[in-house]
Amino acid sequence: MSLDEPREDEVLVRIVASGTCHTDMAARDQQTGPTPFPIVLGHEGSGIVEKVGAGVTELKPGDHVVLTFGFCGECYTCQQGKPTYCENFPGLNFGGSRLDGSHSHHDHHHDVFDNFFSQSSFATYAIANKRNAIKVSEKAPLELLGPLGCGIQTGAGAVINSLKVSPGKTIVISGAGAVGLAALLAAKACSAGKIVMVDINEDRLEFSKELGATHIINSRNVDVIEALKEISPKGFDFGFDTTGRNDLINNTLANLKSLGQMGIVGVATKPLEVEMNSYVLKGIKLLGIVEGDSVPTEFIPQMVEMYLNGQFPFDKLIKKYKFEDINQAIEDSESGKTIKPVILIGEYKN
Ligand SMILES: [Zn+2]
Ligand SMILES: [Zn+2]
């Protein structure tokens, strides 16, 4: 298989590692719309810029980059500084080609679909756009940084950018997967007061305590509404749901204070059903959040900085796998054995 030279606004990146994220599996299973096959998936790449297109001044060969979601930079929402809601998001991330329908991967025998999240990072080399290849500090371990481009950014960004959790505020997080645990680490970094983790997996709940959860609730064993009331009788400032489950979302909403905010990132397969009537009079806000409302050129370097300062130890969520063990990594992610697998793809020396 061959790969194109980078176009004017593109970069060629030698991939060092790539995280795996549920969206890879969702695309495999046709849950993100019709996925054309064969396709190169992978959308949490980290690597080193090898070549840049003629119009790229922001990056140069040798730069360490994290690859994030694709956005156009030109539509109404991009112009508002909100690239995670780009009007071209579906085409640039799930289309299986560039927006103009062309591919960067070629095979003599058949079409190969690519440009997944404008990167297709389960590969030794990737073509990305200059907008979604984000330069990061060379002091940080490059092979760990890919998940900052999607899963970790989604949880941390929701807490820091969307909900803007400040010191002493209280938050309930449902779902102790990579996104929920990244939210927990971010809440701790923001010096939140009470941080409650809700899940059904006892090991994950214990682990969230190690990461800084002040309280844990196993929703399989207890009445969540009562348990939350006991922890904070006056209610919570924030809720954050990564599960898309109606019962968990409603349990948290029922325990929010007036003017509380609830962030939702879990894309549910069932319609979301919320008894909004009683929340209207309390001024409660329900926020749909994509990719943690991240402006990647600002937020990804910010997370790297927080990691280097010891305030955001997201590496605790990661387990590394060799490239040939990618199927095992996916299996371990789906079974819940591993929180965030990272596939080591290319050599690099720090
Ligand atoms: Zn756009
Ligand atoms: Zn993802």
Side-chain angles (χ1 to χ4, degrees):
M1 188 147 62
S2 65
L3 194 61
D4 281 350
E5 291 290 305
R7 287 185 177 179
E8 175 131 0
D9 60 349
E10 292 178 342
V11 294
L12 175 68
V13 178
R14 186 168 70 74
I15 298 292
V16 164
S18 180
T20 75
C21 180
H22 282 286
T23 310
D24 295 306
M25 299 155 221
R28 175 198 65 190
D29 300 339
Q30 308 284 329
Q31 289 165 0
T32 54
T35 305
F37 292 137
I39 187 168
V40 183
L41 295 173
H43 67 285
E44 290 185 346
S46 63
I48 299 173
V49 175
E50 190 134 311
K51 277 186 197 170
V52 301
V56 178
T57 53
E58 299 84 347
L59 295 164
K60 59 180 189 312
D63 281 347
H64 288 196
V65 288
V66 167
L67 304 182
T68 187
F69 59 92
F71 57 99
C72 77
E74 286 159 17
C75 70
Y76 174 75
T77 40
C78 282
Q79 290 291 319
Q80 308 294 307
K82 302 281 183 194
T84 64
Y85 308 100
C86 174
E87 290 169 7
N88 291 303
F89 200 97
L92 286 169
N93 294 285
F94 300 110
S97 68
R98 294 186 185 94
L99 270 192
D100 65 8
S102 64
H103 302 286
S104 54
H105 292 72
H106 303 282
D107 182 302
H108 294 306
H109 307 291
H110 42 69
D111 282 336
V112 177
F113 295 91
D114 54 19
N115 207 51
F116 190 62
F117 277 75
S118 297
Q119 54 181 288
S120 290
S121 60
F122 292 153
T124 48
Y125 285 87
I127 292 279
N129 192 278
K130 65 178 183 183
R131 275 185 294 275
N132 73 311
I134 309 301
K135 187 176 171 171
V136 290
S137 167
E138 290 177 22
K139 287 184 210 144
L142 186 55
E143 79 278 12
L144 298 179
L145 303 185
L148 297 180
C150 186
I152 305 284
Q153 160 171 278
T154 295
V159 166
I160 295 172
N161 303 323
S162 319
L163 300 174
K164 299 186 172 66
V165 173
S166 53
K169 297 286 184 185
T170 52
I171 183 166
V172 181
I173 299 168
S174 38
V179 174
L181 292 171
L184 159 60
L185 290 174
K188 181 146 187 273
C190 293
S191 306
K194 287 173 183 161
I195 308 173
V196 185
M197 180 61 78
V198 185
D199 201 282
I200 50 172
N201 179 323
E202 206 50 52
D203 292 342
R204 287 283 175 96
L205 287 168
E206 284 305 320
F207 183 57
S208 26
K209 262 174 145 175
E210 282 172 40
L211 297 178
T214 57
H215 301 78
I216 54 174
I217 295 175
N218 189 326
S219 56
R220 192 174 270 165
N221 304 337
V222 298
D223 180 329
V224 178
I225 292 188
E226 287 309 311
L228 288 173
K229 272 207 177 78
E230 218 164 278
I231 294 166
S232 186
K234 288 186 175 163
F236 290 82
D237 298 297
F238 300 106
F240 179 59
D241 178 78
T242 67
T243 68
R245 286 179 53 131
N246 279 315
D247 54 344
L248 293 180
I249 291 169
N250 281 295
N251 288 341
T252 301
L253 276 168
N255 278 279
L256 288 188
K257 290 180 189 169
S258 289
L259 303 180
Q261 294 186 43
M262 173 91 199
I264 297 184
V265 296
V267 178
T269 40
K270 279 195 218 150
L272 185 59
E273 284 167 14
V274 171
E275 293 287 339
M276 206 59 206
N277 312 41
S278 53
Y279 307 129
V280 171
L281 295 177
K282 293 171 86 180
I284 283 172
K285 290 192 179 70
L286 205 53
L287 310 177
I289 306 171
V290 174
E291 295 281 353
D293 283 324
S294 170
V295 174
T297 46
E298 292 165 17
F299 192 54
I300 291 174
Q302 182 186 336
M303 286 186 286
V304 170
E305 204 53 41
M306 286 165 62
Y307 167 75
L308 290 171
N309 293 338
Q311 298 169 296
F312 186 60
F314 74 92
D315 57 319
K316 290 184 179 168
L317 311 182
I318 287 175
K319 184 176 171 193
K320 298 180 206 169
Y321 291 79
K322 291 185 199 151
F323 202 0
E324 59 261 39
D325 297 330
I326 187 166
N327 286 325
Q328 189 63 50
I330 299 286
E331 204 181 304
D332 290 354
S333 170
E334 290 184 308
S335 73
K337 195 171 152 196
T338 299
I339 298 166
K340 173 58 75 177
V342 164
I343 315 294
L344 301 175
I345 295 175
E347 295 280 310
Y348 104 104
K349 288 201 175 58
N350 206 357

